[in-house]
Amino acid sequence: VERSRGLGDVYKRQVWELSLELNPESAPGQEEVIRLLAQLYLAGLLHYENPADTAELFRRFKHRRQRELRAKFMNLMFVRFPLLDPDRFLKRMLPIVGPLISWGGFFVWALVLGGAIKVVIDHFPALQDESQSILSPSNLGWLYLGLIILKTLHEFGHAFFCKKFGGEVHVMGVMLMIFTPIPYVDASSSWSFPSRRQRALVGLAGMIVEMFVAALAVFVWANTGAGVLHSLAYNMMFVASVSTLLFNLNPLLRFDGYYILSDLLDYPNLHQHSSGHLMHSVKRHAYGVANSRSPGANNKEKIVLSTFGVLSHLYRLVVFTGILLFVADRFLVLGLIMVAICLVSWIVAPIGKLSYYLLSSPELARTRGRAIGVTLSVVLGLLAILQFVPFPHHFRATGVVEARSWSEVVTKSEGVLAELVARPGEFVALGAPLFRLDNPELEFQIRQSKSRVAETRLRLLQAMSNAEADLQPLQVRLQANEKALDELIEQQSELIVTASVDGIWSAPDVDDVLGRWLIRGTALGRLINPESFDFVSPVLQEDVNRLFGDQIRDSEVRVFGMAELNVPVGSTVIVPAEKRTLPSAALGWASGGDIPVATTDNLGTTATEPFFEVRSGLVGNQTQHLIHGRSGKIRFRLAPEPLLPRWMRSLRQLLQRRYRI
C-alpha cells in the first residue's frame, strides 16, 4: 500500500511538472491536479500497473450496477431499446444533407418559417376551430402518425448535425415515452466537441428540422381541403408546437433544452450538480457539516444551481403528476402500478436513504444529534403548520354576466330584413320599432284572402234568397276565410318588430343579416335592462358544498376583456338543484371555456357532469360598464382553513370524480 501511494505521488508530480513545462503561465496548481486525478480514479478512468485493490474495484462495480438499476427504475416511463447503428448510412448521406447545414440553409429555413407564421396568422380562426377535435378518437391515429414522422426527422436532425461536425452516431432505437413508442438517437459524441456553438447546434438540430417540417405542413394544410393529407399536416403542426414548448425546448427536463442550457452556461452535469448543491446547503447550514463542499465555484454558480435545482424538481413533479393522471384516465390498473412505483421512488426510497444517512453516515459523527433534531423539527413543524394553521382560502368559477331583466327579440313573421329602425346599442322604450321586414308574398296572400272573403259573402247573400240549405256551410266558410285574413293582417303588422320592454337594443351581428330572408322565430338580439346584473356561474358539487355551508366571506367578479373592472358581489343565491345545461355556450370546452361538454351536443351547452347554478348579484358603479352575455370569473373568498385537510379533500374528490374510488 505504501509503495502504491509512493508511485501515485510520483505520477502526480510528473504530470504536474510536465504541465508546467508545456504551459508555465496557465498551468493548474498542484492541488487542482491532485483533485482532478482523484476524480478520474474514483470514476474508474485512471489505471496504473500496480496490483489493483480487488475489494475496492468490486465495491465500485456493485455501486455502479445499483446506480444503473436505480436509474432504469426511476425512468420506467422513458425506457430505451437500441435497434441499429446508423453511422454508415449517415456517412453516405452526408454529402447530400451536409450542404444544407450552412448559412444558406439557415436563410432558407428562416424564409420558410416566416412564411408559415404569416399563413398561421391569416388562418388563425380556422386553426382554432380545428383544434377542438385534436383529441377526438377519430383523430388519435393521425396524431400518432404525425408524431412518429416528426420525431423520426427530429432525431435524424441531431444525427446529421453531429456527423457534420465530426462526431459519430452509433445508436438509434425506440424509446417508450409514457409507454408510447417514439424514435431516439444517441448523439452524445457531440459532448466532446471543443466548440460550444457546435454543441448547442447539435442540441437545437432536432427542433430546427421539426419546425421546418411543421412550416411545410402549414402550407399543405392551408392549401388542401378536408382529407388525409390535410389532417396529417394539421397534426404535425400541433405536435411540433406542443412537443417543442413542453419538452424539447424546456431546460427543466433532460431533453434538448437542458443540454443546450448546460452548453450555454458551460456547466456540464447541471442536473446532478444542482442536486448536489441543494444537498450541500442542507448539510452545511442545517446539519453543521463543516467539510461539505458545494459544486458551485462562486456565488453566481451557487445561485444558478439553487434556482435550477428547485425549479427542475418542481416542474418534474408537475409533469409526472399530469402523466400519471393521463395514463390512469385510460388504463386504471397501469396508472395504479405507476403511482405505486412513484410513491416508492419519490417518498419511500428518499425517506429510507435519509434515515440511513442520519443514523450511520460518518459525515455526521460530530453533529448527528443536531442533524436528527433539525430533521425531526422541520418535518413535525411543517406537518403542524399544514394541519393546524389556517390559511386564506378561496376558489374561482367561470360564469357569464346576465341582466336581471332582459328579453329575446325574435321575428314573429317571415320576410326580408329591410331596415334597422333603431341602431344596436341605443336605449329604446316599450313599443318603439326596432327593425322592419318586407314580405311581398304576404301582401299577395292578403289580397287573395280578401277576394275569397268577398266571394263568400256574395254567395252567402245569393243563398239567403235562393238556396237556404247552403247558408250554414257558407257561414262556416266565411268565418274560416275571415280568420285566415285576420292572421295574415296580424303577420303583416308584425313585419315591424317593436320593443317588448324598456332596455338597450343589443344585436351585435344584425348588420350581417341585413337584406336576408328570415324565417319566423329567428333571434336577432336582446333588449337588456342595464340597471341590474347577475353573474351566473356553474359550480361543481365538490366546490358547492362549501358554499352551502355559509363559508363565503366576500366575492368579486372579473370579466374577460375588461380586466380593469373588479366588480363586487352583493347577495349570492345557490339554486338547490343539479343542472346539466350551461347558461352560455361560452363556458364550455367547445367555445374555449373551462367546463367539459358532451361531444354529441352541437350547441355546446350540455355539461358532461352535473353542476349547481350560483347566481351572484353585482353591485357598485362599475356595473354600468357590463355587457349582458360576457363571460368571466368569480372569486369566492371562504373562511380560512389549514392546507393539509384541503389537500386531502381535493385528492379524495379527484379520485371519486375521475376513478370512482
Side-chain angles (χ1 to χ4, degrees):
V1 173
E2 291 295 331
R3 181 172 178 272
S4 64
R5 287 178 179 173
L7 287 173
D9 292 338
V10 171
Y11 293 151
K12 294 172 186 175
R13 186 168 56 253
Q14 289 177 352
V15 171
W16 182 53
E17 290 175 352
L18 180 61
S19 176
L20 286 175
E21 293 177 5
L22 296 176
N23 301 292
E25 296 182 355
S26 60
Q30 189 171 16
E31 182 180 354
E32 293 177 318
V33 173
I34 293 173
R35 186 181 300 173
L36 173 63
L37 293 175
Q39 290 176 349
L40 292 174
Y41 176 74
L42 291 174
L45 300 176
L46 188 66
H47 174 73
Y48 56 94
E49 295 180 354
N50 285 336
D53 186 347
T54 307
E56 174 65 16
L57 291 177
F58 181 76
R59 186 190 66 80
R60 285 193 212 169
F61 172 76
K62 184 178 179 180
H63 178 70
R64 186 173 68 251
R65 290 290 296 173
Q66 290 176 348
R67 189 168 55 189
E68 291 175 355
L69 290 174
R70 186 166 59 250
K72 290 182 178 179
F73 183 75
M74 293 287 290
N75 294 313
L76 183 64
M77 288 179 282
F78 301 94
V79 182
R80 297 188 175 191
F81 298 97
L83 296 179
L84 53 91
D85 183 350
D87 198 68
R88 294 178 61 184
F89 170 77
L90 298 174
K91 189 180 297 184
R92 289 197 302 268
M93 295 299 295
L94 192 61
I96 300 174
V97 180
L100 300 177
I101 308 174
S102 61
W103 282 110
F106 170 76
F107 287 127
V108 173
W109 177 85
L111 184 65
V112 172
L113 194 63
I117 293 174
K118 182 181 183 305
V119 172
V120 167
I121 295 174
D122 293 340
H123 296 77
F124 192 73
L127 205 64
Q128 275 188 313
D129 292 340
E130 199 159 343
S131 67
Q132 303 297 328
S133 59
I134 191 68
L135 294 178
S136 63
S138 60
N139 187 64
L140 290 180
W142 298 116
L143 184 64
Y144 181 67
L145 180 60
L147 173 70
I148 292 298
I149 295 174
L150 266 180
K151 293 306 174 183
T152 301
L153 297 173
H154 176 110
E155 299 303 324
F156 271 109
H158 288 304
F160 276 113
F161 270 70
C162 182
K163 198 68 179 174
K164 170 75 174 182
F165 298 139
E168 294 186 353
V169 181
H170 290 289
V171 176
M172 193 171 191
V174 173
M175 177 173 64
L176 296 182
M177 178 179 284
I178 323 174
F179 307 103
T180 303
I182 61 172
Y184 85 95
V185 70
D186 182 4
S188 57
S189 63
S190 63
W191 300 348
S192 63
F193 293 167
S195 170
R196 186 186 304 181
R197 183 182 68 87
Q198 291 180 348
R199 296 196 302 269
L201 281 174
V202 172
L204 284 169
M207 289 179 282
I208 291 173
V209 173
E210 196 168 314
M211 297 308 295
F212 182 76
V213 175
L216 296 178
V218 169
F219 294 111
V220 174
W221 171 81
N223 292 280
T224 55
V228 173
L229 193 60
H230 183 84
S231 298
L232 183 60
Y234 179 81
N235 282 280
M236 292 175 69
M237 293 158 50
F238 179 83
V239 169
S241 58
V242 172
S243 65
T244 298
L245 293 176
L246 293 184
F247 293 98
N248 294 111
L249 196 59
N250 194 325
L252 299 178
L253 294 175
R254 299 181 73 172
F255 292 110
D256 298 339
Y258 166 78
Y259 297 107
I260 295 169
L261 179 64
S262 298
D263 282 329
L264 294 178
L265 295 177
D266 199 18
Y267 209 108
N269 297 325
L270 181 60
H271 186 272
Q272 180 181 352
H273 287 166
S274 64
S275 299
H277 175 71
L278 294 178
M279 288 298 300
H280 155 75
S281 300
V282 174
K283 292 178 182 178
R284 184 65 178 270
H285 302 293
Y287 295 167
V289 180
N291 60 349
S292 177
R293 295 289 181 270
S294 170
N298 50 53
N299 289 333
K300 181 180 178 181
E301 287 189 2
K302 292 176 182 178
I303 293 174
V304 171
L305 292 176
S306 299
T307 305
F308 180 84
V310 173
L311 291 179
S312 64
H313 282 84
L314 290 177
Y315 187 76
R316 290 178 67 190
L317 178 63
V318 172
V319 169
F320 274 86
T321 302
I323 290 172
L324 290 175
L325 292 175
F326 177 81
V327 174
D329 283 345
R330 287 151 180 80
F331 312 101
L332 181 58
V333 175
L334 183 59
L336 292 176
I337 294 174
M338 292 172 59
V339 168
I341 293 173
C342 290
L343 288 176
V344 171
S345 58
W346 293 350
I347 298 178
V348 177
I351 291 176
K353 290 175 63 177
L354 177 62
S355 302
Y356 180 79
Y357 173 77
L358 292 174
L359 295 175
S360 61
S361 174
E363 270 188 332
L364 302 178
R366 297 182 178 181
T367 61
R368 195 177 309 280
R370 171 181 171 178
I372 295 175
V374 168
T375 303
L376 291 177
S377 299
V378 169
V379 173
L380 295 178
L382 185 61
L383 288 176
I385 291 173
L386 294 177
Q387 178 65 35
F388 301 111
V389 177
F391 283 85
H393 187 200
H394 68 269
F395 78 93
R396 293 180 173 87
T398 56
V400 63
V401 175
E402 282 190 2
R404 290 185 182 176
S405 175
W406 62 278
S407 175
E408 194 85 25
V409 177
V410 298
T411 58
K412 298 180 181 179
S413 181
E414 295 182 335
V416 175
L417 182 59
E419 180 187 4
L420 294 177
V421 181
R423 295 303 305 175
E426 295 179 349
F427 184 87
V428 294
L430 173 64
L434 300 177
F435 55 86
R436 180 177 59 84
L437 302 174
D438 278 343
N439 190 344
E441 184 180 352
L442 185 59
E443 296 178 1
F444 176 73
Q445 292 175 352
I446 290 175
R447 289 197 299 269
Q448 281 187 326
S449 184
K450 287 181 177 179
S451 299
R452 285 194 291 269
V453 170
E455 178 188 358
T456 306
R457 285 175 177 171
L458 289 174
R459 289 188 177 183
L460 184 60
L461 290 173
Q462 184 179 8
M464 293 174 69
S465 59
N466 298 328
E468 295 183 0
D470 296 333
L471 286 177
Q472 186 176 0
L474 287 173
Q475 288 174 346
V476 173
R477 181 177 177 182
L478 178 61
Q479 291 175 357
N481 289 336
E482 288 176 342
K483 184 178 179 181
L485 178 60
D486 291 339
E487 291 177 353
L488 291 173
I489 293 174
E490 184 181 358
Q491 291 182 28
Q492 187 180 42
S493 66
E494 291 172 344
L495 291 177
I496 298 178
V497 179
T498 59
S500 58
V501 294
D502 295 340
I504 294 177
W505 167 226
S506 174
D509 300 323
V510 71
D511 287 328
D512 296 337
V513 296
L514 193 63
R516 296 185 182 180
W517 180 271
L518 303 179
I519 63 173
R520 185 176 182 179
T522 302
L524 285 184
R526 293 170 178 172
L527 289 169
I528 300 168
N529 187 340
E531 294 181 357
S532 58
F533 289 92
D534 285 336
F535 190 80
V536 184
S537 51
V539 179
L540 298 180
Q541 185 173 0
E542 57 265 25
D543 293 323
V544 86
N545 288 337
R546 287 169 279 176
L547 302 184
F548 276 127
D550 294 329
Q551 299 183 28
I552 302 177
R553 296 295 178 90
D554 58 59
S555 308
E556 59 186 13
V557 169
R558 288 196 173 182
V559 180
F560 297 144
M562 306 171 73
E564 70 281 359
L565 295 182
N566 193 9
V567 186
V569 172
S571 60
T572 297
V573 177
I574 305 170
V575 180
E578 290 186 346
K579 291 188 174 183
R580 281 189 177 269
T581 303
L582 298 175
S584 172
L587 304 179
W589 277 0
S591 299
D594 299 333
I595 301 176
V597 294
T599 56
T600 56
D601 180 15
N602 295 329
L603 298 178
T605 58
T606 303
T608 56
E609 56 182 297
F611 61 86
F612 288 85
E613 185 177 282
V614 180
R615 305 187 71 91
S616 304
L618 304 180
V619 297
N621 296 329
Q622 294 176 324
T623 57
Q624 60 184 337
H625 303 291
L626 296 177
I627 300 174
H628 178 88
R630 183 69 65 89
S631 59
K633 280 187 177 291
I634 183 170
R635 182 178 183 268
F636 296 101
R637 190 169 71 88
L638 308 176
E641 184 182 3
L643 293 176
L644 191 58
R646 282 155 53 179
W647 293 346
M648 296 303 296
R649 182 174 60 245
S650 298
L651 178 61
R652 289 196 303 269
Q653 291 171 348
L654 174 68
L655 296 176
Q656 291 171 1
R657 185 176 70 252
R658 300 181 68 159
Y659 311 116
R660 303 295 187 268
I661 296 178

